[in-house]
């Protein structure tokens, strides 16, 4: 067990970690995997915190209270400063709703639980991540959880286990953790377990694993283990080889990982091994200069401040500017981030960390109470809605009324195998019409429920049953010739006598737009399987609701865009903003093309066995590269970037009312 000593290369590693995160957030080419910088920080923390505790225990000076206070003094002052700075600009820039959400994130960040906040928020109907200025503080919540839990565990491990036994414990725990994580990934998109009183039910698996500390401990343990492995005097060749290997593994991970990678998980192992190699092997030769130089050490010293300040600058600027960052925007943000982080290091971090006088304590408490008080006051004042003029207030009220409407009052299905709650109009067991698909199916429930009520039909919406029919687990399946998702053959979650099947779905994926024809045909092939399932034997009519003209996933939501306060002269038209997003990469054109292919295959293949009707929402909402998003009376057509509102669904239904009602009643 080795005690802690200053290692310049640790600051060099921190520099790599923070720069990879910053470049990733700035969307610099070749840094698609730059998010692993956070994971490098976790490994470094595991190593340093374990070293500190072991060193203090060896000297007999370890005190849990003092240990925790030191950690708080290390982290909190900079968070408070960034909170104050970001709150000022947030007040000028953010819409009332977004300012409320931002205030909540500041409060949870100060108490190191923002990871829990962002986990509980994660669902289809959330504001996108790029416009959450404190999203990056989730990692500090994970760090603090580690400090609290590991310090207690380590004390008992030292007391009852020998050095080799501790190593074995850490290896076994890390291995089991990784195996468990990979197993959880196989369970699909959502948790469908009633364990722990159904606490995890309906939560996204990827978000649960990403944000919560228990699923990140194995990363910290990679660093912890290094403190217990006996240090030998390795030769220069060995030190240099493993040092270079470490750098290669880290940079290969940055180059090869991306947002599709399952994080956390085994895909992090190369970067974790690489980081561990650099920490453990004591390279003092030429290659040591890669990390042990004034520039890298300097960046490492300001890495915490740089990590804290860069993301609010990016997020708030993009919120204000409504668009992607141009080259010069990135340069300016990068320079500002470095300037502010240097000032923070010398005037916030160091003074409050190493010289905590009585006056500083009083000042700190005043600032802390003030910022928390301001955040609660912001929430109480509805995000300072008075920043808007009267017309904007009325718009906000109408937009929120539309956005807050539920698609239905969901209830538990009479069929035990159906896990998600269902939307019902009438008698579920005697349904005349059923609506299937994902959440893009549920969004169509309202107008069809009203039709059913007028005509005394029983109507039910089942979301994500039959293995998320008609959607396979992965779009790549569609690229396999003649692929059919055979799980649909055996769907037994419901038995229905319904004669009408309505299907709504998130059909389109921009990343696969070059394969619109293959994917459209694959969907229709999957739908055609239903005729071979005895539980759906009475289906005679199929109505397909095509892909809505969804907004690009990185757009600011409509309510936020339309209700931003106008404190600055620069005003970016929301209409132009969304129009440009539809034009970018031929996004809308690709959606229209996909609907064309889906309709063509529907009539070509399904019409042999069923009466078929296809509705293309783009024909009702769009004209060339422009799509309606707000009605004449400020009614929202959209609930979020990928779901229409009840108003939008009714609008499209009414545009096709004669066609739809004739199809359903004749």
């Amino acid at each position: 067990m080795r005690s802690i000593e200053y290692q310049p290369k640790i600051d060099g590693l921190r520099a790599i970690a923070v720069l990879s995160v910053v470049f990733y957030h700035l969307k610099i080419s070749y840094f698609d995997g730059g998010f692993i910088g956070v994971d490098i920080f976790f490994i470094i923390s595991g190593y340093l915190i374990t070293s500190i505790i072991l060193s203090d225990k060896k000297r007999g000076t370890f005190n849990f209270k003092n240990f925790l206070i030191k950690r708080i003094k290390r982290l909190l002052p900079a968070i408070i400063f960034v909170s104050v700075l970001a709150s000022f600009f947030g007040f000028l820039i953010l819409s009332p709703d977004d300012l409320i959400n931002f205030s909540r994130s500041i409060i949870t960040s100060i108490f190191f639980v923002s990871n829990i906040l962002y986990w509980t928020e994660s669902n289809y109907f959330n504001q996108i991540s790029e416009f959450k200025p404190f999203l990056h503080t989730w990692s500090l919540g994970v760090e603090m959880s580690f400090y609290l839990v590991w310090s207690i565990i380590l004390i008992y491990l030292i007391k009852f286990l020998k050095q080799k036994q501790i190593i074995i414990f850490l290896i076994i725990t890390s291995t089991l953790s990784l195996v468990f994580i990979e197993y959880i990934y196989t369970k699909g998109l959502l948790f469908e377990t009633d364990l722990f009183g159904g606490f995890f039910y309906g939560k996204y698996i990827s978000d649960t694993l990403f944000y919560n500390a228990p699923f990140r401990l194995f990363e910290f343990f990679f660093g912890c283990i290094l403190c217990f492995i006996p240090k030998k005097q390795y030769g220069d060749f060995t030190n240099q080889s493993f040092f270079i290997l470490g750098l290669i593994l880290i940079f290969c991970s940055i180059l090869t990982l991306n947002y599709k990678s399952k994080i956390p998980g085994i895909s992090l192992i190369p970067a974790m091994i690489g980081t561990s190699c650099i920490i453990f092997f004591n390279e003092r030769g030429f290659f040591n200069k890669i990390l042990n130089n004034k520039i890298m050490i300097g960046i490492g010293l300001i890495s915490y401040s740089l990590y804290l300040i860069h993301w609010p600058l990016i997020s708030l600027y993009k919120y204000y500017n409504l668009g992607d960052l141009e080259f010069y925007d990135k340069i300016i943000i990068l320079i500002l981030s470095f300037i502010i982080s240097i000032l923070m290091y010398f005037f916030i971090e160091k003074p409050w960390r190493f010289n905590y006088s009585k006056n500083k304590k009083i000042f700190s408490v005043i600032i802390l109470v003030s910022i928390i008080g301001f955040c609660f006051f912001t929430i109480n004042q509805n995000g300072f809605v008075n920043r808007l003029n009267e017309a904007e207030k009325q718009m906000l009220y109408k937009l929120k009324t539309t956005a807050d409407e539920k698609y239905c009052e969901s209830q538990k299905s009479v069929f035990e195998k159906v896990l998600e709650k269902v939307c019902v109009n009438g008698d579920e067991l005697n349904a005349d019409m059923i609506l299937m698909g994902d959440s893009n199916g549920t969004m169509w429930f309202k107008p069809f429920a009203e039709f059913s009520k007028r005509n005394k039909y029983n109507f039910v919406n089942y979301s994500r049953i039959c293995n998320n029919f008609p959607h396979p687990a992965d779009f790549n399946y569609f690229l396999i010739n003649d692929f059919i998702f055979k799980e649909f053959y055996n769907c037994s979650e419901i038995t229905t006598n319904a004669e009408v099947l309505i299907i709504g779905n998130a059909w389109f994926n921009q990343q696969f737009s070059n394969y619109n024809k293959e994917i459209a045909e694959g969907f229709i092939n999957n739908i055609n399987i239903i005729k071979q399932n005895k539980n759906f034997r009475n289906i005679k009519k199929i109505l397909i609701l095509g892909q809505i003209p969804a907004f690009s996933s990185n757009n600011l939501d409509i309510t936020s865009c339309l209700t931003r306060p106008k404190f600055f002269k620069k005003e970016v038209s929301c209409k132009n903003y969304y129009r440009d997003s539809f034009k970018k990469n031929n996004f809308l054109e690709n959606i229209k093309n996909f609907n064309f292919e889906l309709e063509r295959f529907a009539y070509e293949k399904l019409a042999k066995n069923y009466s078929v009707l296809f509705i293309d929402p783009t024909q009702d909402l769009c004209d060339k590269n422009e799509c309606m998003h707000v009605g004449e009376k400020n009614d929202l057509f959209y609930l979020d970037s990928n779901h229409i509102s009840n108003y939008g669904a009714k609008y499209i239904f009414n545009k096709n009312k004669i066609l739809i009602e004739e199809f359903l009643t004749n």
Side-chain angles (χ1 to χ4, degrees):
M1 300 182 190
R2 292 178 283 124
S3 61
I4 190 169
E5 60 182 36
Y6 176 69
Q7 301 179 58
K9 65 181 178 183
I10 298 294
D11 279 323
L13 259 180
R14 284 180 172 141
I16 291 178
V18 74
L19 289 176
S20 65
V21 172
V22 172
F23 291 164
Y24 167 72
H25 284 153
L26 286 171
K27 297 184 178 179
I28 304 295
S29 300
Y30 306 112
F31 280 85
D32 290 347
F35 51 78
I36 67 162
V38 173
D39 305 286
I40 294 173
F41 277 127
F42 287 163
I43 297 166
I44 293 173
S45 289
Y47 172 73
L48 292 179
I49 294 303
T50 304
S51 299
I52 289 169
I53 294 174
L54 292 177
S55 179
D56 288 350
K57 285 292 293 181
K58 185 177 181 180
R59 294 196 302 266
T61 59
F62 180 79
N63 179 282
F64 180 76
K65 178 183 175 182
N66 292 337
F67 167 79
L68 195 58
I69 289 174
K70 287 181 180 179
R71 304 282 73 73
I72 293 173
K73 285 167 62 178
R74 170 76 173 94
L75 300 177
L76 193 57
I79 292 177
I80 294 173
F81 175 80
V82 174
S83 298
V84 172
L85 189 64
S87 294
F88 173 75
F89 288 101
F91 179 86
L92 300 175
I93 295 172
L94 300 177
S95 73
D97 284 352
D98 291 330
L99 187 59
I100 290 172
N101 292 331
F102 183 39
S103 297
R104 291 195 182 107
S105 68
I106 288 176
I107 294 170
T108 54
S109 298
I110 288 173
F111 289 101
F112 301 103
V113 290
S114 62
N115 58 318
I116 305 300
L117 172 70
Y118 292 122
W119 172 52
T120 57
E121 282 184 351
S122 54
N123 56 57
Y124 278 119
F125 307 103
N126 247 3
Q127 180 183 325
I128 58 172
S129 300
E130 288 193 356
F131 300 104
K132 294 181 178 179
F134 261 36
L135 180 66
H136 64 320
T137 61
W138 71 268
S139 64
L140 303 183
V142 174
E143 288 260 6
M144 186 56 69
S145 298
F146 169 73
Y147 297 157
L148 290 170
V149 174
W150 177 239
S151 57
I152 297 172
I153 293 176
L154 182 57
I155 297 304
Y156 283 97
L157 288 178
I158 296 171
K159 185 175 182 180
F160 295 108
L161 297 181
K162 296 179 180 179
Q163 188 169 334
K164 289 185 178 180
Q165 292 174 323
I166 294 175
I167 295 174
I168 294 172
F169 168 82
L170 291 173
I171 292 174
I172 292 175
T173 304
S174 299
T175 303
L176 291 176
S177 177
L178 273 168
V179 170
F180 179 71
I181 287 169
E182 293 300 322
Y183 168 74
I184 293 296
Y185 279 127
T186 66
K187 306 313 273 183
L189 185 66
L190 303 171
F191 280 105
E192 298 177 350
T193 176
D194 290 326
L195 291 176
F196 306 106
F199 180 74
F200 288 97
Y201 186 86
K203 296 285 194 307
Y204 285 93
I205 286 174
S206 59
D207 291 325
T208 301
L209 298 177
F210 187 90
Y211 285 117
N212 287 288
F215 305 108
R216 294 284 188 166
L217 281 179
F218 74 94
E219 299 180 50
F220 292 96
F221 285 174
F222 257 74
C224 299
I225 291 172
L226 301 178
C227 297
F228 297 96
I229 300 176
K231 186 71 172 178
K232 298 179 181 178
Q233 292 298 320
Y234 298 102
D236 290 342
F237 178 77
T238 300
N239 284 322
Q240 289 179 0
S241 298
F242 280 99
F243 186 88
I244 295 170
L245 175 64
L247 289 175
I248 291 173
L249 290 174
I250 289 174
F251 285 112
C252 283
S253 296
I254 292 172
L255 290 170
T256 58
L257 295 180
N258 55 49
Y259 69 95
K260 296 179 183 178
S261 305
K262 293 178 179 178
I263 305 295
I266 57 175
S267 57
L268 287 175
I269 289 179
M272 293 192 298
I273 292 175
T275 303
S276 300
C277 285
I278 292 173
I279 293 174
F280 187 78
F281 288 95
N282 194 20
E283 155 62 359
R284 296 185 182 276
F286 171 77
F287 294 105
N288 181 49
K289 296 297 181 182
I290 297 174
L291 298 182
N292 188 4
N293 62 72
K294 290 183 178 181
I295 294 176
M296 293 298 283
I297 291 174
I299 295 174
L301 289 173
I302 65 168
S303 59
Y304 177 53
S305 291
L306 184 57
Y307 178 78
L308 279 184
I309 196 62
H310 84 281
W311 180 244
L313 288 176
I314 294 172
S315 182
L316 290 171
Y317 181 78
K318 293 185 74 172
Y319 191 102
Y320 165 69
N321 196 50
L322 287 185
D324 294 332
L325 297 177
E326 301 295 338
F327 175 76
Y328 291 109
D329 295 328
K330 296 177 182 180
I331 296 297
I332 291 170
I333 289 173
L334 192 60
I335 293 172
L336 275 176
S337 297
F338 269 97
I339 292 172
I340 297 173
S341 58
I342 290 169
L343 293 174
M344 284 175 61
Y345 176 73
F346 285 106
F347 296 103
I348 303 295
E349 281 195 69
K350 286 184 71 175
W352 261 259
R353 183 181 178 187
F354 299 111
N355 182 18
Y356 216 62
S357 65
K358 183 179 179 180
N359 289 337
K360 284 182 179 177
K361 290 180 182 178
I362 296 173
F363 181 74
S364 298
V365 171
I366 292 173
I367 297 297
L368 180 62
V369 172
S370 297
I371 188 63
I372 294 175
F374 174 78
C375 290
F376 277 114
F377 187 64
T378 299
I379 296 169
N380 179 261
Q381 294 296 306
N382 297 314
F384 294 109
V385 71
N386 288 327
R387 292 176 299 152
L388 308 179
N389 60 38
E390 287 304 316
E392 290 168 337
K393 289 179 187 177
Q394 291 299 319
M395 177 184 288
L396 175 62
Y397 174 76
K398 191 64 181 287
L399 293 174
K400 288 185 68 175
T401 300
T402 306
D404 289 342
E405 288 182 358
K406 295 181 179 179
Y407 291 135
C408 72
E409 292 294 336
S410 59
Q411 62 189 55
K412 191 170 179 58
S413 173
V414 295
F415 298 104
E416 291 185 2
K417 291 183 179 180
V418 176
L419 298 176
E420 290 202 24
K421 290 184 177 181
V422 299
C423 299
V424 181
N425 178 77
D427 182 3
E428 182 182 357
L429 282 173
N430 294 299
D432 301 294
M433 307 190 310
I434 59 173
L435 169 61
M436 292 175 62
D438 53 20
S439 59
N440 273 240
T442 302
M443 69 188 183
W444 295 102
F445 178 79
K446 201 76 168 182
F448 286 95
E450 292 174 355
F451 164 82
S452 300
K453 192 173 184 179
R454 291 194 302 270
N455 292 274
K456 298 182 180 180
Y457 289 167
N458 297 309
F459 175 51
V460 188
N461 164 229
Y462 297 102
S463 182
R464 298 188 184 90
I465 65 167
C466 302
N467 290 287
N468 204 20
F469 173 87
H471 208 304
D474 192 325
F475 266 83
N476 285 295
Y477 285 132
F478 286 131
L479 306 185
I480 303 173
N481 289 334
D482 301 320
F483 172 81
I484 294 177
F485 204 59
K486 295 182 179 179
E487 283 83 347
F488 297 147
Y489 281 126
N490 306 314
C491 175
S492 60
E493 289 161 78
I494 66 169
T495 301
T496 181
N497 293 316
E499 295 186 355
V500 178
L501 170 61
I502 303 169
I503 305 173
N505 193 54
W507 308 97
F508 175 75
N509 188 318
Q510 174 73 354
Q511 294 170 342
F512 290 85
S513 58
N514 290 331
Y515 303 98
N516 275 349
K517 180 180 177 182
E518 292 83 355
I519 292 173
E521 184 176 14
F523 270 123
I524 298 303
N525 288 338
N526 286 342
I527 293 171
N528 223 357
I529 294 174
I530 209 77
K531 68 178 182 289
Q532 301 180 39
N533 189 311
K534 63 181 180 179
N535 296 308
F536 298 87
R537 61 184 179 276
N538 290 323
I539 298 295
K540 293 180 175 61
K541 299 178 181 180
I542 296 180
L543 193 164
I544 297 176
L545 299 156
Q547 175 65 43
I548 65 169
F551 294 106
S552 179
S553 61
N554 63 346
N555 283 141
L556 183 65
D557 73 75
I558 298 167
T559 302
S560 296
C561 187
L562 292 173
T563 58
R564 294 171 300 144
K566 307 297 189 298
F567 283 110
F568 296 104
K569 289 183 178 180
K570 182 175 182 180
E571 294 185 20
V572 181
S573 165
C574 294
K575 181 180 179 180
N576 293 340
Y577 171 55
Y578 292 117
R579 181 195 62 203
D580 292 343
S581 74
F582 279 131
K583 291 171 65 176
K584 188 175 181 180
N585 299 321
N586 295 316
F587 188 64
L588 180 58
E589 195 60 35
N590 286 333
I591 291 177
K592 290 179 178 179
N593 175 263
F594 178 84
N595 279 345
F596 172 82
E597 296 291 351
L598 192 65
E599 180 178 11
R600 182 169 71 87
F601 283 115
Y603 287 118
E604 181 182 305
K605 295 194 171 190
L606 295 181
K608 297 176 182 178
N609 301 295
Y610 309 97
S611 295
V612 178
L613 177 63
F614 184 90
I615 301 297
D616 183 354
T618 64
Q619 294 184 4
D620 301 312
L621 291 179
C622 306
D623 178 20
K624 294 184 179 179
N625 281 313
E626 289 193 34
C627 297
M628 294 182 291
H629 51 272
V630 180
E632 293 180 358
K633 297 182 180 180
N634 292 329
D635 294 293
L636 271 177
F637 284 98
Y638 290 83
L639 187 66
D640 63 16
S641 64
N642 196 38
H643 297 84
I644 52 175
S645 64
N646 286 329
Y647 176 81
K650 291 177 186 178
Y651 178 87
I652 295 170
F653 184 96
N654 289 332
K655 280 284 189 178
N656 301 275
K657 185 174 182 178
I658 296 175
L659 195 63
I660 292 174
E661 293 192 352
E662 283 184 355
F663 177 78
L664 296 177
T665 54
N666 294 335

